[in-house]
Amino acid sequence: MFILLKRVIRLGWKNFSRSTGLSLVGIVVLMATIFLTTSLLLLQEITQEIVKDIEEKADISVEFNLAAPEERIFRVKEDLEEEFDLVAINYLSREEVLEEFKRRHRDDPVMMEALDEVGNPFSAILNIKAREVQDYREVSDFIRRNHSDIISDIDFYGRKEVIEEIFSVTSRVQRSIIIASIILGVIAVLIVLGTTKLSIYSIGQEIKVMRLVGASNWYIQGSFLTQGFITGLIASLASLFLLLFLSFAIYQGYNIFNLDLEKHILGNFSLILLLQFGTGIGLSLFASIVAVSRYLKV
Amino acid sequence: MIIFNNVSKKYPAQVDKKEKTVLEKVTFQIDKGEFVSIVGRSGAGKTTLLELILGEKRPTEGTVLFDNQDVSKVPSGKLYKIRKRIGTIFQDYKLLPSKTVYENVAYALEVTGAPEEEIKRDVPEVLDLVGVLDQAHQFPRQLSGGEKQRVAIARALIHQPDVILADEPTGDLDPYHSREILNLLLNINRMETTIVLATHDKEIVNSIGKRVITLQNKEVVSDIKEGRFRL
């Protein structure tokens, strides 16, 4: 059995190397398909991290009228604590906001001078941190509904729009990648199928002899499936090296959104391997099986 | 060993072609160790008859038994087990041009999973037996027709088959080489290997003096133990 397996693999390699040109085209298209499939996974990971990062930074700042009495502000705080499951709610009085401003601009004499003339222009603020980003709308509506008379501004919509925009862009990119992957996958399958078909035709005489001398169907078919397996394996390995090269050598230089690509790739390495080899070998083997069942008469 | 029982083979009608009957109710039996010549004009169905034994084609009616096994009922995935017990020789030799004589014969053992030691031991022996050991490292294009057919016989013999099916093995050879090949087949037959020779070569058939089955108009018209070519 082992001898036969060894010979089937050897014959498969021979079939592969006999049609190097077409095999290479198949490998390149498979590589592109694998690369896109893997990028889908990475894109999802990266989107989640960006959104998580934005969500962590998200909060609501409620600015009160200058005339709003402190006891009313505390009532707003208490109402919110009763009504919602908040992570944090911090009150900054007008004086504390002023102090904070002064601290930040202490090296700016023009600003300090202007402040001395104006007095304290700042409102008291409630900083609210909700558990989920979608809770902010309810918190905001609640404040507007019940305490609109003392509110000057509620700042949260900007962040929500950013998050929604990220989801929208990501979803569009994902859809495009899925469509491109499917198209490339179909092309890859057709190329591998064509390569296997050509191999079958080019060694038609040899196949006939194999049958005559008693080679099993498994042996004859196995060599072509091996050819497909080799194509898929090489495409998967090449795609993996390309991914590692691009991630570590090029993208490391551009630190967009503080993304750690290395972490994402290494953290999901087994899944990436499975995806890469599954897509590459799976598609290629599928194409070989179709070619063998359609064109190989045993 | 081989039994044809009321075997008919018809090819279904196709566009511009009517249904074609190649064999009609053919019945005969070939026993182990026999040398049988199947004779008939070109298109008489000799090759189809051999293909039915190999399971390459299935009979439209009747049964073909090989060692009590109905070949037509053997699933295609299991046919190789029968083919391993049959050596086949063709008029056009069917040697692989990119392989040497040694490799052509060794290939028959390789694809059936024989160990390397067995291949190294048996191939030179069989090449010696058919008289082409000296050409072991030559390619088919460097050989004469007779030598090519010897290599084909060596390849057919390498499995030590129970039966050798020879389809017009002397068709492309001159009388001298034809005689050589026939003698080789007769020698192999003396070693108890059944030989089924399909031919329309009158001289060859008449010189053998063994059983002759004659096919004419799709049917067996004669089956004579020490027969001659009569058409």
Side-chain angles (χ1 to χ4, degrees):
Chain A
M1 189 67 187
F2 180 70
I3 294 172
L4 263 182
L5 188 67
K6 205 171 84 182
R7 287 175 189 158
V8 164
I9 293 170
R10 203 168 56 195
L11 191 59
W13 173 255
K14 213 168 143 190
N15 291 345
F16 173 81
S17 49
R18 257 194 285 228
S19 47
T20 324
L22 258 178
S23 300
L24 273 179
V25 176
I27 286 171
V28 171
V29 183
L30 266 175
M31 268 177 72
T33 314
I34 297 165
F35 196 74
L36 282 179
T37 320
T38 313
S39 66
L40 263 182
L41 174 84
L42 286 175
L43 182 74
Q44 202 173 345
E45 278 279 318
I46 290 164
T47 310
Q48 275 170 3
E49 188 177 304
I50 294 171
V51 170
K52 201 175 149 199
D53 192 44
I54 292 173
E55 279 178 353
E56 272 171 12
K57 285 175 186 160
D59 59 9
I60 287 185
S61 290
V62 183
E63 284 181 31
F64 294 90
N65 296 337
L66 291 177
E70 209 161 39
E71 55 272 23
R72 280 288 309 278
I73 297 174
F74 282 125
R75 202 182 316 145
V76 174
K77 186 171 178 268
E78 280 162 20
D79 284 355
L80 287 170
E81 278 169 340
E82 266 177 39
E83 196 70 24
F84 299 97
D85 178 22
L86 302 173
V87 175
I89 180 161
N90 296 317
Y91 169 65
L92 285 175
S93 67
R94 293 184 62 208
E95 291 68 32
E96 283 170 323
V97 177
L98 177 67
E99 283 309 308
E100 174 62 22
F101 185 86
K102 281 183 175 170
R103 194 181 58 77
R104 268 191 281 155
H105 298 278
R106 60 176 173 262
D107 301 329
D108 188 347
V110 179
M111 192 70 86
M112 286 297 143
E113 207 174 305
L115 205 57
D116 285 341
E117 297 238 340
V118 177
N120 185 356
F122 298 106
S123 312
I125 292 174
L126 265 184
N127 282 325
I128 305 159
K129 197 156 182 59
R131 218 163 274 287
E132 302 290 338
V133 74
Q134 53 266 35
D135 292 343
Y136 289 118
R137 176 182 287 278
E138 283 180 41
V139 172
S140 161
D141 290 348
F142 177 84
I143 298 168
R144 284 188 196 284
R145 209 166 42 240
N146 299 301
H147 305 283
S148 58
D149 57 319
I150 54 165
I151 302 299
S152 74
D153 191 25
I154 299 178
D155 168 33
F156 101 90
Y157 284 108
R159 289 193 183 104
K160 182 175 175 286
E161 278 159 10
V162 169
I163 289 172
E164 279 173 357
E165 187 58 23
I166 287 172
F167 275 130
S168 156
V169 170
T170 312
S171 140
R172 280 202 299 271
V173 172
Q174 270 180 334
R175 215 173 311 134
S176 309
I177 292 180
I178 288 170
I179 292 169
S181 302
I182 291 171
I183 294 171
L184 278 175
V186 170
I187 294 173
V189 164
L190 288 175
I191 292 175
V192 177
L193 198 143
T195 315
T196 314
K197 181 182 163 185
L198 273 183
S199 298
I200 290 171
Y201 288 160
S202 71
I203 62 160
Q205 173 84 332
E206 199 166 330
I207 293 170
K208 195 158 193 172
V209 170
M210 279 193 237
R211 289 166 59 216
L212 285 173
V213 297
S216 65
N217 291 2
W218 174 84
Y219 182 90
I220 302 170
Q221 292 167 339
S223 66
F224 295 106
L225 299 186
T226 307
Q227 182 183 355
F229 180 84
I230 292 170
T231 308
L233 184 70
I234 292 177
S236 304
L237 282 172
S239 173
L240 184 68
F241 284 122
L242 182 71
L243 177 79
L244 294 176
F245 173 76
L246 287 179
S247 313
F248 299 140
I250 301 173
Y251 285 124
Q252 250 186 357
Y254 303 90
N255 206 354
I256 312 157
F257 286 110
N258 288 323
L259 283 178
D260 190 353
L261 264 176
E262 196 175 309
K263 185 192 88 186
H264 284 291
I265 290 173
L266 294 179
N268 293 290
F269 200 63
S270 48
L271 189 61
I272 288 174
L273 278 185
L274 189 73
L275 198 65
Q276 296 237 320
F277 287 91
T279 311
I281 296 172
L283 281 179
S284 189
L285 257 185
F286 168 74
S288 305
I289 290 168
V290 173
V292 162
S293 59
R294 281 193 67 176
Y295 305 111
L296 182 62
K297 302 280 174 270
V298 285
Chain B
M1 181 106 242
I2 298 167
I3 300 172
F4 271 60
N5 193 7
N6 271 319
V7 172
S8 298
K9 178 65 188 173
K10 293 169 186 171
Y11 292 105
Q14 286 176 347
V15 183
D16 298 334
K17 280 184 183 173
K18 290 178 186 171
E19 183 185 73
K20 191 182 174 192
T21 303
V22 184
L23 294 172
E24 184 88 63
K25 297 201 180 303
V26 170
T27 298
F28 61 83
Q29 176 171 341
I30 297 172
D31 294 326
K32 187 168 168 49
E34 269 197 288
F35 191 120
V36 180
S37 302
I38 312 280
V39 304
R41 292 197 176 94
S42 294
K46 304 186 293 288
T47 301
T48 303
L49 196 141
L50 300 186
E51 286 173 335
L52 287 167
I53 299 172
L54 279 167
E56 293 254 306
K57 287 184 177 146
R58 312 255 165 180
T60 314
E61 287 165 32
T63 49
V64 178
L65 301 180
F66 181 85
D67 213 9
N68 294 323
Q69 205 176 1
D70 189 344
V71 180
S72 62
K73 291 205 168 68
V74 177
S76 69
K78 301 278 178 200
L79 272 174
Y80 74 96
K81 289 183 179 171
I82 289 181
R83 288 176 184 155
K84 263 183 176 175
R85 298 178 59 195
I86 302 173
T88 322
I89 306 162
F90 296 92
Q91 181 176 345
D92 60 356
Y93 324 117
K94 295 204 189 316
L95 298 176
L96 299 172
S98 59
K99 293 186 188 291
T100 64
V101 165
Y102 179 95
E103 287 165 348
N104 262 286
V105 179
Y107 191 64
L109 283 178
E110 276 176 20
V111 300
T112 49
E116 296 294 335
E117 310 83 66
E118 187 184 320
I119 296 173
K120 280 180 189 153
R121 186 194 63 215
D122 290 358
V123 175
E125 260 180 42
V126 175
L127 290 179
D128 193 27
L129 183 74
V130 300
V132 285
L133 184 59
D134 291 342
Q135 285 82 14
H137 300 294
Q138 291 185 357
F139 287 92
R141 63 175 180 277
Q142 298 170 291
L143 306 176
S144 70
E147 286 168 333
K148 283 181 196 167
Q149 198 56 286
R150 284 166 180 272
V151 177
I153 292 173
R155 187 180 61 192
L157 271 180
I158 194 77
H159 291 125
Q160 300 171 322
D162 299 320
V163 180
I164 285 189
L165 304 179
D167 190 8
E168 304 279 7
T170 57
D172 278 354
L173 304 179
D174 58 44
Y176 174 76
H177 284 112
S178 296
R179 191 68 229 170
E180 267 189 355
I181 294 301
L182 180 66
N183 286 337
L184 194 53
L185 291 174
L186 284 166
N187 282 337
I188 294 164
N189 179 238
R190 278 184 207 110
M191 296 185 275
E192 284 298 293
T193 304
T194 309
I195 308 281
V196 181
L197 169 69
T199 183
H200 61 264
D201 189 327
K202 190 176 176 181
E203 295 291 317
I204 288 286
V205 175
N206 290 342
S207 68
I208 298 170
K210 294 196 183 244
R211 185 178 168 193
V212 178
I213 296 174
T214 307
L215 285 175
Q216 197 173 16
N217 295 328
K218 305 146 201 160
E219 293 173 349
V220 173
V221 291
S222 73
D223 184 351
I224 301 167
K225 202 156 190 181
E226 288 178 16
R228 292 176 66 79
F229 191 100
R230 261 186 226 139
L231 271 174

